[in-house]
Amino acid sequence: MTAPRFVEVALPLPVFQTFTYAVDHEPAHPLVPGTRVIVPVRKRRAVGICLGTVDQTGVKSPRPILDVPDADPIFAERMLALCRWIADYYVVPLGLVLRSAMPSALAGATRPTPEQRTERIAVLTRRLPSLELRDKTFGRAVKQRALYELLESLGGRSPATHLMEHLGVSRGVLDALVEKQLLTLQESVVQRDPFALRRPLAPERHVPSAPQRVAIDALMAARPGEVFLLHGVTGSGKTLVYIELLREIVDRRNQTAIVLVPEIALTPQTVDRFRAVFGDRIAVLHSALSDGERYDAWLALKRGEKRIAVGARSAIFAPLDTLGAVIVDEEHEGSYKNGETPRYHAREVSVVRARDEGAIVVLGSATPSLESWHNADGGKYRLLTLPERVGAGRMPNVSVVDLRKKKPEAATEFSSVVSDSLERALHERLEREEQSILLLNRRGYASFVQCADCGYVVSCPNCSITLTYHRAPERLICHYCLYQTPLVTRCVRCGGSTVRQRGLGTQQVERLLGERWPAARIARMDVDTTSGKWAHAEILDRVGRGEVDILLGTQMIAKGLDFPNVTLVGVVDADVGINLPDFRASERSFQLLSQVAGRAGRGPKGGSVIIQTRIPTHHAVRCAITHDYASFVAEELPARRNPSYPPYTRLVNVIVSSLAEEPAAEVAIAAADWLRQLIISAPDLPVTVVGAAPCPIDRIKRRWRWHFLLKSDHPGSLTRVLRYFLERFDVPTAYDMRVVIDRDPVSLL
Ligand code: ADP
Ligand code: ZN
């Protein structure tokens, strides 16, 4: 075979989409589409992916290919086609899609090498059990004491870099505790594949319930490319259905499968259940893997040594041949949408990949996204229903505490946060040695601080966001850009000296619970306590072993947990987030409340749920209380009609941002007008433009943000308009102006 003279190559760079290179000598490896090639770019060596050969006509100044490192193409033809679809649909350069689709070890211009990394862990070596002892040890060294108490609340150990980079601890304070022999810094090998060390579970051996049987049979008889929406209430046994499907696909048909989960760290239980059945035929792709380990897992899948890829959204690019099924668990989760370019939605990519490769798709959820529900309703997807809990579980009773009816006179700090009935319920659980889960979807101690005299609220200098007050260590912090500053004691505007804390956060609830029940074992799970990638699983394992009485946390605790001894779920404030200026705010609140309520009553002891709210009549709250998905949908859908929002229309959010406010506004307005003109002049373009207007959060990380929306029922028209816009509309470069196109956005904030 003679080598082609010219090949087209895609580069993983935003500027060049494809480029033509010349092959000036016979490469050691075959140059077929999908092969990784090393090419010169601006005096550097860069990686490109060979797309195919071109003939010589019209090729301008081709460049030489420097190296062809891989004996086999890293992308199969089908994967290349999938990446082209993503590039086309989300209107992004193909090279950027290819870069997301390959393991990062292959994205560099060298060969990947496995690595072993170490990190320093700060470990408490001595405990100070009494307050007197603490006073004596620390005196006025408040920062040292804060660090000591922080480490205590983190279970006695935490990576030093996490303490310093995320929790505002200085090197000097760490050293001071070492000096006092309260702490040691231990060098330890980073445990990159914790799943390999987890104790295997025994595989489940349940006899499927009648609805499970119906679902399993339907999946066994599915047509290639068919998409199913598995709507099963919490605890209805969706995992068993997935497992039976995987047995059929992997064991009997000798095909392969992909299982997508929202976030591996939050769902170790689910992953363990798959591993129990399929053992080392599974590759678990998670963010804690090093580049080398990720590459190893990728190779094992490509070579067919592993048959099932389990992972978060990027696992949809797993290099599997003979793909038989894709399972998307908790398909409503927003984390399936990539937050940066290419902004693909893994659920949509699943459907496209499965259609091309003749695989079947199962989208599973207790609270399906309205898009998937709409697709099932219209006959595009086939609906399978698991209406009841399996085994000993029953749906929990949900009661509501209307916070508006509270008597303020008698309120203590505790009772203003935890109502009498929630307090009583928690107390009973502690006495009966049962477990409780408490949700408050707001981390930190207080969501903002305000001057009691003039009302001034401290906000971030870089973002239009109030600063959140954190304790241990004490500081104000921006949750968007991580700006930190010491707590102000005087108002910067009026000099007033009374600064109030407003808006309850998880740290404050933790403190109140600890004071009320000093003997209770309380675990807090939010971004601040889950430092290492593996911290989530450690906390959850403690809950599973019965070492935690009350698990308190943000939305992290609402996902997929299956603990039969949890008999109470309390929602401290159901209204957090429900009034965000976003068309999905109600849907997201309903999903969160339903999911967290679903953690109660999974065992023979039953369970109950108590929801505290100021808006008990809001349909997101009301329907979550009655476990009534159908009613929620019936009330929510009309709100998406006029003005129209998904699922009734396709949406694109175009965000223009720059370091100065006025130019961002001008460009956004000009771009929206330009598109309106374009659409008027082309009568066959059923696309409407809404806006421009400032984004709800109009400044993030020093960038001013404006946006406008494109709406259409015709996906193809949207693609054409966006493509034309990107090619023809001139974006000025001043003030670091940027235009981001977010197709099918999950949030408009
Ligand atoms: P879901 O994902 O729908 O919330 P799970 O798959 O976590 O539900 O199942 C809930 C619990 O019921 C699990 O502990 C599981 O082992 C158990 N289970 C599943 N199917 C059956 C069955 N047919 N009979 C008894 N128990 C079952
Ligand atoms: Zn900020």
Side-chain angles (χ1 to χ4, degrees):
M1 190 184 96
T2 53
R5 286 293 302 153
F6 294 95
V7 290
E8 196 187 7
V9 171
L11 296 177
L13 299 167
V15 231
F16 306 111
Q17 186 161 343
T18 57
F19 222 89
T20 307
Y21 287 82
V23 186
D24 54 5
H25 62 278
E26 194 74 32
H29 297 310
L31 240 183
V32 293
T35 312
R36 192 162 63 120
V37 295
I38 312 283
V39 295
V41 172
R42 293 199 209 113
K43 298 190 189 138
R44 286 190 302 122
R45 289 157 63 84
V47 161
I49 302 299
C50 173
L51 296 177
T53 58
V54 284
D55 67 25
Q56 210 166 335
T57 31
V59 173
K60 272 190 233 131
S61 55
R63 301 162 184 212
I65 283 176
L66 302 177
D67 196 5
V68 184
D70 305 312
D72 292 320
I74 63 167
F75 287 110
E77 292 271 5
R78 280 179 155 161
M79 187 60 76
L80 274 184
L82 183 70
C83 290
R84 281 187 200 275
W85 179 85
I86 293 173
D88 199 48
Y89 184 80
Y90 294 99
V91 215
V92 283
L94 176 61
L96 288 184
V97 182
L98 293 171
R99 190 170 63 184
S100 309
M102 65 178 150
S104 45
L106 289 175
T110 50
R111 282 175 180 79
T113 44
E115 60 200 292
Q116 190 179 56
R117 278 187 281 163
T118 59
E119 64 182 349
R120 276 144 68 85
I121 311 281
V123 182
L124 281 187
T125 48
R126 202 148 56 82
R127 296 288 164 132
L128 305 170
S130 72
L131 289 180
E132 295 77 47
L133 205 51
R134 289 184 194 192
D135 291 344
K136 202 168 121 242
T137 310
F138 295 111
R140 301 201 303 162
V142 285
K143 286 191 177 164
Q144 293 177 23
R145 182 169 183 158
L147 170 58
Y148 172 85
E149 287 171 352
L150 172 67
L151 271 169
E152 249 189 352
S153 74
L154 293 174
R157 54 190 296 138
S158 177
T161 47
H162 176 71
L163 294 171
M164 294 194 286
E165 283 165 22
H166 299 290
L167 298 173
V169 174
S170 77
R171 183 72 225 209
V173 178
L174 269 174
D175 289 342
L177 287 203
V178 174
E179 190 90 339
K180 287 200 163 102
Q181 299 190 333
L182 282 166
L183 181 155
T184 59
L185 291 172
Q186 297 176 353
E187 201 75 26
S188 82
V189 174
V190 181
Q191 181 48 63
R192 286 293 155 179
D193 192 6
F195 274 102
L197 292 183
R198 284 174 78 79
R199 203 157 26 88
L201 302 173
E204 291 169 42
R205 297 244 170 265
H206 298 300
V207 178
S209 65
Q212 281 173 325
R213 187 76 261 163
V214 172
I216 293 165
D217 290 344
L219 294 175
M220 301 291 154
R223 285 181 282 108
E226 200 168 4
V227 182
F228 292 85
L229 176 60
L230 177 62
H231 177 215
V233 299
T234 55
S236 60
K238 292 184 285 293
T239 312
L240 183 96
V241 176
Y242 304 150
I243 286 174
E244 288 308 313
L245 171 63
L246 292 175
R247 278 192 215 274
E248 168 75 15
I249 295 292
V250 177
D251 291 346
R252 292 189 276 276
R253 297 189 198 169
N254 205 19
Q255 293 178 317
T256 60
I258 297 173
V259 180
L260 298 184
V261 294
E263 221 176 310
I264 290 276
L266 295 180
T267 49
Q269 277 190 313
T270 312
V271 176
D272 285 344
R273 286 162 72 184
F274 289 114
R275 283 178 60 246
V277 179
F278 300 100
D280 60 8
R281 282 177 295 167
I282 290 191
V284 183
L285 306 167
H286 52 91
S287 53
L289 293 181
S290 69
D291 287 353
E293 284 163 329
R294 192 167 265 277
Y295 174 63
D296 288 346
W298 183 87
L299 266 188
L301 288 164
K302 192 167 163 59
R303 293 185 181 135
E305 293 156 15
K306 309 261 180 189
R307 314 289 294 167
I308 302 173
V310 179
R313 69 176 169 257
S314 64
I316 192 54
F317 298 115
L320 290 162
D321 273 342
T322 60
L323 186 69
V326 183
I327 291 164
V328 185
D329 191 24
E330 311 289 2
E331 65 87 35
H332 62 278
E333 280 283 337
S335 62
Y336 285 125
K337 182 82 155 67
N338 196 12
E340 53 193 50
T341 312
R343 292 169 188 268
Y344 66 89
H345 199 306
R347 182 183 63 215
E348 306 314 313
V349 177
S350 298
V351 172
V352 173
R353 179 166 183 187
R355 189 184 58 207
D356 289 354
E357 305 190 19
I360 64 173
V361 181
V362 184
L363 310 176
S365 177
T367 51
S369 63
L370 290 185
E371 281 89 341
S372 295
W373 185 256
H374 187 70
N375 281 331
D377 205 37
K380 218 168 134 190
Y381 299 169
R382 214 163 114 199
L383 181 66
L384 302 172
T385 311
L386 306 178
E388 279 158 19
R389 284 200 164 172
V390 280
R394 269 161 293 128
M395 289 307 269
N397 274 326
V398 186
S399 55
V400 178
V401 174
D402 186 344
L403 293 176
R404 294 169 306 183
K405 291 187 186 145
K406 224 166 37 193
K407 300 160 280 187
E409 321 83 71
T412 62
E413 196 187 354
F414 181 85
S415 70
S416 67
V417 171
V418 179
S419 60
D420 290 351
S421 54
L422 183 53
E423 179 184 12
R424 235 176 296 121
L426 283 165
H427 197 77
E428 278 169 29
R429 296 317 183 281
L430 289 169
E431 288 192 327
R432 297 206 299 253
E433 296 186 359
E434 294 170 4
Q435 293 169 300
S436 304
I437 286 181
L438 272 190
L439 169 78
L440 176 61
N441 199 17
R442 206 193 271 135
R443 68 192 173 95
Y445 191 86
S447 51
F448 60 99
V449 293
Q450 186 174 34
C451 169
D453 296 333
C454 74
Y456 176 76
V457 172
V458 186
S459 55
C460 177
N462 308 321
C463 314
S464 344
I465 287 289
T466 60
L467 292 179
T468 304
Y469 170 46
H470 283 248
R471 280 207 181 162
E474 179 169 81
R475 70 232 197 273
L476 295 172
I477 176 164
C478 171
H479 285 179
Y480 279 77
C481 72
L482 304 183
Y483 168 86
Q484 306 192 359
T485 176
L487 179 66
V488 286
T489 46
R490 269 187 187 284
C491 174
V492 294
R493 192 161 74 186
C494 75
S497 59
T498 325
V499 177
R500 293 231 167 92
Q501 296 155 10
R502 304 265 182 196
L504 191 64
T506 46
Q507 288 185 338
Q508 194 169 348
V509 176
E510 182 186 27
R511 195 204 95 219
L512 292 169
L513 293 172
E515 287 171 0
R516 172 68 184 78
W517 293 289
R521 296 163 303 173
I522 299 162
R524 193 181 97 219
M525 190 156 135
D526 56 30
V527 171
D528 302 302
T529 60
T530 45
S531 51
K533 299 276 190 196
W534 205 237
H536 307 82
E538 271 165 26
I539 297 176
L540 296 177
D541 287 349
R542 264 161 58 210
V543 178
R545 290 195 300 267
E547 295 165 13
V548 170
D549 300 312
I550 302 176
L551 174 64
L552 161 72
T554 54
Q555 35 87 22
M556 289 184 180
I557 59 170
K559 294 180 217 302
L561 308 183
D562 185 35
F563 296 119
N565 200 37
V566 170
T567 59
L568 174 69
V569 165
V571 179
V572 178
D573 183 351
D575 312 342
V576 175
I578 210 166
N579 290 318
L580 285 176
D582 190 284
F583 73 99
R584 285 190 216 272
S586 298
E587 182 181 357
R588 229 176 269 128
S589 288
F590 170 75
Q591 287 162 345
L592 177 59
L593 294 175
S594 306
Q595 293 288 346
V596 75
R599 303 309 118 208
R602 290 177 156 252
K605 293 175 193 162
S608 47
V609 179
I610 297 177
I611 294 182
Q612 305 192 134
T613 174
R614 274 180 196 78
I615 38 174
T617 52
H618 191 292
H619 63 295
V621 178
R622 202 161 23 80
C623 300
I625 292 166
T626 49
H627 314 290
D628 192 349
Y629 177 79
S631 295
F632 174 77
V633 172
E635 291 194 45
E636 178 66 13
L637 279 180
R640 305 277 180 95
R641 272 275 188 219
N642 199 6
S644 66
Y645 277 106
Y648 292 124
T649 188
R650 304 294 195 111
L651 204 60
V652 180
N653 192 18
V654 183
I655 302 152
V656 180
S657 69
S658 87
L659 294 173
E661 185 174 15
E662 208 114 297
E666 277 165 17
V667 171
I669 292 167
D673 285 344
W674 189 93
L675 281 162
R676 276 192 199 94
Q677 286 307 318
L678 173 75
I679 290 159
I680 291 169
S681 66
D684 60 336
L685 275 181
V687 176
T688 48
V689 184
V690 184
C695 293
I697 302 174
D698 63 1
R699 191 161 176 251
I700 295 179
K701 296 183 186 168
R702 299 179 49 225
R703 304 185 67 83
W704 294 92
R705 308 166 72 238
W706 274 60
H707 72 152
F708 58 90
L709 300 177
L710 301 182
K711 292 182 178 179
S712 178
D713 298 340
H714 293 111
S717 300
L718 278 176
T719 309
R720 275 171 61 211
V721 166
L722 288 169
R723 217 160 254 300
Y724 198 74
F725 171 69
L726 277 191
E727 278 162 18
R728 301 297 170 87
F729 183 79
D730 242 347
V731 180
T733 52
Y735 305 103
D736 197 18
M737 190 80 61
R738 286 181 212 159
V739 175
V740 165
I741 291 178
D742 187 3
R743 189 156 189 184
D744 303 331
V746 293
S747 153
L748 297 181
L749 295 179

